[in-house]
Amino acid sequence: MKARILSFGMARVKKSWREKLMDDKDLPKVFDTKNSKLAKKWGEGLCAIPRPRDIDGLMKKVPKGKLTTINELRAAVAQQYKTDIACPITTGIFAWMSANAAEEALGEGRKRVTPYWRTLKTGGEVNPKYPGGVAAQRKLLEAEGHETVKKGKRLLVVAFEKRVVTPKA
């Protein structure tokens, strides 16, 4: 479903989340972090910037009862593109896009969508930026047999490391 946005008297159509997910924007890209500021943050070597649909495809491969993390997705992307590392920023953004696209599809009546709630942040933290926030994801995770615990403002999955998988590209 497309939303109409009025801009300076002209109608413009806003892309749906699923359209955004399928827009490759000249990706994937591979570059060397050597001699860049990124080397200190991410490490030296070849770095892959995946396509949004690469991340969505990996998230779809996480089976019920299992979990993955953004870092596991990064490892899968690095393996797929035969690089040393994968960009943490775009991986996180594309996971968020995938979550919104899945929620959009659910809103339109689709039954099978990307199980975004199975993709956690580092340390087993539920991503508060996913649709519905932590409350909605808690219900979905607990319905699949995962136990959650609140620590301050964060919601963590108990013993998540025992159920973590690295999806294969």
Side-chain angles (χ1 to χ4, degrees), residues 6 19 21 32 56 64 70 85 114 117 124 144 147 151:
L6 295 179
E19 288 172 322
L21 204 56
D32 195 341
D56 186 62
K64 188 174 183 176
I70 294 295
I85 51 179
T114 302
W117 55 91
E144 292 186 357
E147 184 183 343
K151 288 211 175 174

Side-chain angles (χ1 to χ4, degrees), residues 28 54 61 72 96 104 119 121 128:
D54 290 336
K61 292 181 178 177
E72 296 299 323
W96 173 73
E104 180 179 82
T119 301
K121 294 173 70 172

Side-chain angles (χ1 to χ4, degrees), residues 58 61-63 66-69 72-73 160-168:
L58 291 169
K61 292 181 178 177
V62 180
K66 297 292 183 181
L67 302 165
T68 196
T69 66
E72 296 299 323
L73 295 178
F160 78 97
E161 26 327 81
K162 294 178 183 175
R163 295 183 173 176
V164 168
V165 296
T166 302
K168 302 287 184 235

Side-chain angles (χ1 to χ4, degrees), residues 7-137:
S7 172
F8 301 106
M10 297 176 61
R12 183 170 63 125
V13 178
K14 184 179 177 185
K15 284 185 178 180
S16 71
W17 284 106
R18 285 177 289 165
E19 288 172 322
K20 291 176 184 180
L21 204 56
M22 292 300 132
D23 186 356
D24 289 346
K25 295 196 183 291
D26 298 328
L27 297 173
K29 288 185 180 176
V30 173
F31 65 96
D32 195 341
T33 63
K34 189 175 182 181
N35 299 324
S36 77
K37 293 178 184 177
L38 298 177
K40 289 182 182 178
K41 290 181 181 180
W42 303 346
E44 269 193 28
L46 289 181
C47 179
I49 300 177
R51 299 172 296 194
R53 59 189 163 110
D54 290 336
I55 299 303
D56 186 62
L58 291 169
M59 290 171 72
K60 283 180 179 174
K61 292 181 178 177
V62 180
K64 188 174 183 176
K66 297 292 183 181
L67 302 165
T68 196
T69 66
I70 294 295
N71 284 341
E72 296 299 323
L73 295 178
R74 289 180 59 214
V77 167
Q79 184 177 9
Q80 178 181 358
Y81 290 104
K82 297 174 178 47
T83 61
D84 302 302
I85 51 179
C87 176
I89 296 167
T90 56
T91 302
I93 290 169
F94 296 161
W96 173 73
M97 285 173 59
S98 181
N100 282 287
E103 203 57 36
E104 180 179 82
L106 282 172
E108 293 174 3
R110 293 202 37 212
K111 301 284 185 224
R112 297 188 70 194
V113 299
T114 302
Y116 62 88
W117 55 91
R118 296 177 191 154
T119 301
L120 306 174
K121 294 173 70 172
T122 303
E125 182 180 355
V126 174
N127 193 330
K129 294 182 181 179
Y130 286 170
V134 295
Q137 291 171 73

